[in-house]
């Protein structure tokens, strides 16, 4: 009897705290469109609101709240079926409603299980329902008793009966929830303790249970609030009973001992829930602490078997034909993969493995040394082209990042490509990724922000090597060391002191810095280099050491932007040698790789200005520069102005004028006019560093208001007035392919006419060039076609100083291929291609073993793959006697990371072949 009453009253207290049975809510206003529906659901007990009598209709519904509503609806249907054999609620639902209910139950299966909706749980609660039935009978008996004497609080008794009846529905549920919640937390706590040694598994568990932990915590808080509210209501009810008129004998359904037992149970339940909340908080703290450190492991396994050989040993380029798996890539002084041979690599078999470890601390400490990130990678040569009894294992790289009392530091190690840069002319080795100049070493940085002047330290140390591709690198073979200290004496000013040495090669010191003064930015640099072991004082004598220095500034005066510089660079800095800088290990037109702002063996100054006035943009420059020693006759002067009007419907109009002089004895001596200086190249902006004037009309196909979207068009006339040369070029291409049904077309055209006469080495000539790249959508069974064709023809009149007879230089290239995706099996892709290239009277002699550059589908240049080309000046694009052809086919199959490739290639004079190459490769790479 006591146990039954304790369970019934516990459910009664829980339901009373949740406001069960309330049909109205204080925050649902009269006239609200959902008021009737809300009250109807409340009357049925489907929704009950919050303990404060509110509905909170504007708040987001949680998954647990949704599960509770579904749970109550299922209970109602179950009770109707048990009582009547049918359910009016179920019959009122449409097929769409039933499907929605089914989907909701599936979606909220986990939450419904947590609320005790499993069939087994319903069966286990049968004994409790019998108790509820007996209690209901007793309530009916109480109702049948004679009316109480006047003054008896009949409403209170009726309310008590109603609440007891309502409580019967939720009694088992509340206890089952509390018991299941405790069991779940016990299991979860044991899991956490059990997996502390396995951090990866723990992280997975934390992520999987994060929402459940949060929901359990919220439920524990709500239950705790329920108990407190229930205790207050019990106290109020006891007061009503003790102070009111005489009541009927309630002993028949609840003795004082039962009431005391209920109070004791309520207190125990509240204590359990408080303890439960503490355990949840402790568990969350453990999870958060362990989540601060994240670990990662990744690696790869790769294997390659193959050969690339020729019958004659001639190493010729095959990248001109098609993209392939045998390319040697771009390295050293090359700017394109067509400039290096690929056909005679020999045995390319190799097997290897790599393994990388990473650690990240998301909440490092703020005091002492705190590591936030760390990583390390290993590699092993599983096999190479020659047998080795012991595989070679490499420690490839490692890095650590963190703070020292909140001040950032880092340390990085690289086995082959340690990257660092002190300034433009000293230890500039951060843009040289080729393996031909290996550097094995470490780079450490520390930002001492709490020190006076907030210095930032960089220390590098290691050893450099050489390869057959570059036997005389700027950072020579041997040990190197350097330290850089950057200071910030005050806001806007930065200053750095540098020391670097390469044993047996060079030692150098340097200073660089910058200053911001409102709209003006100034920067300066000085580097002095000499042989190791020379007296330190020699660094400060430019006759005993090699100097590089500059001062440059930029500023704005309203709409006017200004720039100026003065510079001097010793010839020893050519190829980056004096500054031990591999970034400068090559120079060519446009300075694509070279990063230093001024060339070696120069001394001079320059000014620049630009402004925009509505649709007009005006640019101008003036420069004067001689060699480093400023020898008489070495000074070159150049200046120019360009005015651009645009843009209107994608069009712009530019007019330019330039003047160039050479052979001067002093700055701005303007001695001898010349067609172009050494800094000129054909594609430079507005023909700078030449003596020319001209007009250019351009249409930008990417402009939002372009007259013809995607069409890029340029037409330019230039007159090199010193020698009377004239140059006309018109070219066009598309900024993106043109779609025609299932075809994608990307065409381009070029017309170039140069008139030089006898004064020009080339004389007069005309170039016509056209090309198109074609591809299709998948046509059938994943099959798609792709290909391209490019042709150029340059006809020389033969009236030049070097080209004295009519000559035609030409190039012709075509490629056709088939690609099949998901061939025979998903993700199995297959491609086959055939290509042909030939040229006649090209620059140089012999066979076209390699190309000069890849301009097959670039239409601001004349050549396809091989010069003659006007890049150094249109008057210098003389033909040669190089002629020949290259042809081949290529097959490749890919299945995920498995690649099988085969190709055959042939090189020879036009009409025949003399050199044959064959290549096979099968490779696989597994990443984990």
């Amino acid at each position: 009897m006591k146990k039954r009453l304790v369970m019934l009253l516990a459910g009664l207290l829980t339901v009373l705290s949740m406001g069960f049975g309330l049909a109205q809510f204080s925050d649902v206003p009269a006239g609200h469109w959902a008021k009737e529906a809300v009250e109807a659901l409340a009357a049925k007990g489907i929704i009950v609101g919050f303990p404060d009598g509110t509905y909170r209709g504007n708040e987001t519904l949680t998954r647990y709240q949704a599960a509770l509503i579904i749970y109550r609806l299922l209970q109602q249907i179950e009770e109707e079926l048990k009582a009547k054999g049918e359910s009016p609620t179920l019959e009122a639902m449409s097929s769409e409603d039933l499907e929605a209910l089914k989907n909701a139950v599936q979606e909220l299966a986990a939450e419904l299980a947590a609320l005790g909706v499993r069939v087994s749980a319903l069966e286990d609660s049968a004994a409790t329902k019998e108790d509820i039935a007996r209690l209901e009978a007793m309530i009916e008996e109480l109702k049948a008793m004679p009316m109480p004497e006047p003054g008896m609080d009949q409403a209170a008794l009726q309310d008590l009966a109603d609440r007891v009846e309502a409580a019967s529905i939720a009694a088992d549920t509340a206890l089952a929830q509390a018991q299941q919640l405790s069991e779940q937390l016990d299991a979860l706590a044991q899991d956490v303790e059990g997996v502390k040694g396995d951090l990866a598994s723990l992280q997975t568990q934390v992520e999987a249970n994060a929402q459940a932990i949060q929901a359990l915590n919220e439920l524990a808080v709500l239950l705790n609030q329920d108990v407190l509210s229930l205790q207050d209501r019990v106290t109020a009810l006891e007061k009503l009973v003790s102070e009111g008129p005489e009541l009927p004998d309630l002993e028949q359904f609840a003795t004082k001992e039962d009431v005391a037992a209920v109070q004791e149970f309520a207190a125990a339940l509240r204590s359990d829930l408080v303890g439960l909340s503490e355990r949840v908080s402790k568990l969350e703290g453990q999870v958060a602490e362990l989540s601060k450190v994240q670990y990662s492991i990744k690696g790869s396994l790769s294997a390659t078997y193959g050969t690339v050989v020729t019958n004659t040993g001639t190493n010729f380029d095959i990248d001109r034909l098609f993209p392939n798996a045998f390319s040697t890539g771009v390295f050293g002084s090359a700017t394109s993969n067509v400039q290096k041979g690929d056909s005679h690599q020999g045995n390319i078999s190799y097997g290897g493995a790599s393994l990388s470890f990473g650690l990240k601390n998301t909440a490092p400490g703020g005091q002492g040394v705190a590591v936030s990130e760390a990583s390390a990678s290993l590699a092993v040569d599983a096999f190479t082209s020659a047998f080795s009894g012991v595989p070679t294992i490499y420690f490839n790289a490692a890095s650590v990042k963190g703070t020292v009392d909140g001040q950032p530091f880092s340390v990085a190690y690289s086995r082959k490509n340690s990257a660092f840069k002190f300034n433009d002319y000293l230890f500039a080795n951060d843009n040289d990724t080729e393996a031909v100049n290996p550097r094995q070493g470490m780079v450490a940085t520390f930002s001492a922000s709490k020190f006076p002047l907030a210095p930032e330290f960089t220390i590098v140390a290691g050893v450099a090597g050489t390869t057959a591709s570059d036997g005389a690198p700027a950072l020579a073979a041997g040990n190197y060391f350097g330290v850089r200290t950057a200071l910030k004496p005050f806001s806007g000013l930065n200053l750095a002191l540098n020391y670097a040495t390469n044993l047996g090669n060079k030692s150098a010191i340097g200073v660089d810095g910058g200053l911001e003064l409102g709209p003006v930015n100034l920067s300066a640099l000085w580097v002095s280099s000499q042989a190791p072991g020379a007296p330190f004082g020699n660094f400060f004598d430019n006759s005993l050491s090699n100097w590089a220095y500059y001062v440059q500034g930029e500023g704005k005066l309203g709409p006017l932007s200004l720039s100026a510089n003065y510079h001097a660079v010793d010839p020893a800095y050519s190829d980056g040698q004096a500054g031990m800088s591999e970034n400068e290990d090559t120079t060519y037109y446009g300075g694509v790789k070279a990063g230093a702002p001024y060339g070696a063996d120069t001394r001079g100054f320059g000014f620049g200005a630009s402004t925009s006035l509505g649709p007009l943009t005006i640019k101008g420059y003036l420069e004067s520069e001689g060699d480093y020693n400023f020898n008489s006759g070495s000074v070159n002067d150049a200046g120019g102005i360009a005015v651009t009007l645009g843009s209107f419907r994608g069009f712009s109009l530019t007019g330019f004028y330039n003047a160039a002089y050479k052979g001067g004895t002093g700055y701005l001596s303007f001695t001898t006019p010349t067609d172009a200086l050494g800094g000129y190249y054909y594609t430079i902006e507005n023909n700078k560093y030449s003596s020319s004037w001209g007009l250019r009309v351009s249409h930008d196909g990417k402009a939002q208001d372009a007259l013809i979207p995607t069409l890029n068009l340029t037409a330019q006339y230039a007159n090199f007035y010193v020698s009377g040369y004239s140059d006309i070029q018109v070219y066009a291409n598309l900024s993106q392919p043109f779609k025609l049904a299932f075809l994608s077309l990307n065409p381009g055209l070029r017309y170039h006419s140069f008139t030089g006469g006898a004064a020009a080495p080339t004389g007069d000539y005309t170039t016509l060039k056209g090309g198109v790249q074609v591809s299709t959508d998948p046509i059938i069974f994943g099959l798609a076609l792709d290909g391209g064709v490019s042709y150029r023809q340059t006809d020389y009149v033969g009236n030049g100083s070097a080209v004295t007879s009519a000559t035609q230089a030409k190039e012709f290239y075509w490629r056709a291929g088939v690609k099949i995706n998901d061939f025979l099996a998903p993700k199995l892709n297959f491609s086959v291609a055939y290509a042909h290239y030939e040229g006649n009277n090209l620059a140089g002699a012999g066979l076209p073993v390699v190309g000069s550059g890849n301009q097959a589908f670039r239409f601001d240049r004349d050549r396809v793959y091989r010069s003659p080309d006007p890049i150094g000046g249109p008057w210098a694009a003389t033909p040669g006697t190089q002629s020949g052809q290259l042809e081949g086919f290529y097959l490749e199959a890919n299945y995920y990371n498995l690649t099988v490739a085969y190709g055959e290639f042939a090189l020879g004079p036009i009409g025949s072949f003399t050199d044959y190459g064959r290549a096979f490769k099968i490779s696989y790479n597994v990443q984990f």
Side-chain angles (χ1 to χ4, degrees), residues 339 750 767 769 790 792 811 852-858 861-871:
Q339 298 171 347
R750 174 175 176 79
T767 295
K769 180 180 179 180
S790 182
R792 81 87 170 249
E811 292 178 278
S852 305
N854 187 349
Q855 281 81 36
F857 300 101
R858 179 176 167 179
R861 301 281 292 274
D862 282 7
R863 72 185 175 206
V864 174
Y865 287 119
R866 187 72 184 171
S867 295
D869 186 78
I871 187 64

Side-chain angles (χ1 to χ4, degrees), residues 611-631:
T611 187
S612 295
L613 302 172
L616 283 178
T617 299
I618 304 173
K619 296 181 179 180
Y621 72 98
L622 177 64
E623 298 182 14
S624 186
E625 182 182 81
D627 63 17
Y628 180 70
N629 294 319
F630 215 65
N631 292 312

